[in-house]
Amino acid sequence: MPSSPASPSPYRSSGFWLAVIVAAFLAVNTVRSLLAPAAFSGYFGAPLASPEDAPWVIVYALRTGLIAAIIALLLAARQFRMVGWVALLGAALPVGDFLLAESAGAPTSTLLRHAAIGVFLLITAWRLFAFPRPQA
């Protein structure tokens, strides 16, 4: 009776670890933006015009935390192609972040960081799509 090949370990996949980095980065940004909304908005490249604008940073934090949790759950469930789709579709978000930061007069280093995040998400999606599909 031939033995079935073992499914590959996600821990040996660069896509898995890139996605872990994405989830961790989002979780850290969630905490940073909840603890210090004004400082985080400056880091983001769109400083608050007034302290009364801080609730919008909290809105960002809640949504970012949700995305981090979804990625973590999908990774735990070994749904690597779904995480790949999240990364691929999510690559549009840093484009919007870049444009928002640019319109706020953010420094070039901040704009480059947003661009790098978009490229990182595209690479993450590419590596996750390369992970072998489970055999039925």
Side-chain angles (χ1 to χ4, degrees):
M1 177 171 194
S3 63
S4 64
S7 59
S9 170
Y11 307 117
R12 301 185 98 196
S13 162
S14 59
F16 174 85
W17 291 107
L18 292 171
V20 167
I21 291 168
V22 169
F25 176 76
L26 292 172
V28 167
N29 277 350
T30 298
V31 172
R32 288 178 64 206
S33 56
L34 287 172
L35 294 177
F40 184 81
S41 67
Y43 161 80
F44 186 84
L48 298 178
S50 155
E52 288 88 35
D53 295 335
W56 286 107
V57 182
I58 305 305
V59 169
Y60 164 87
L62 296 173
R63 283 159 175 70
T64 300
L66 175 63
I67 295 168
I70 289 169
I71 292 170
L73 284 170
L74 289 172
L75 286 172
R78 299 177 61 101
Q79 297 295 316
F80 305 122
R81 291 189 90 60
M82 289 301 296
V83 180
W85 281 109
V86 170
L88 182 62
L89 297 173
L93 295 175
V95 174
D97 297 344
F98 179 100
L99 295 172
L100 176 65
E102 183 182 41
S103 72
T108 301
S109 60
T110 299
L111 299 175
L112 290 173
R113 184 177 65 243
H114 288 302
I117 291 168
V119 170
F120 190 90
L121 287 170
L122 292 173
I123 292 169
T124 301
W126 168 57
R127 296 311 306 146
L128 285 163
F129 288 138
F131 193 79
R133 285 185 174 197
Q135 300 297 320

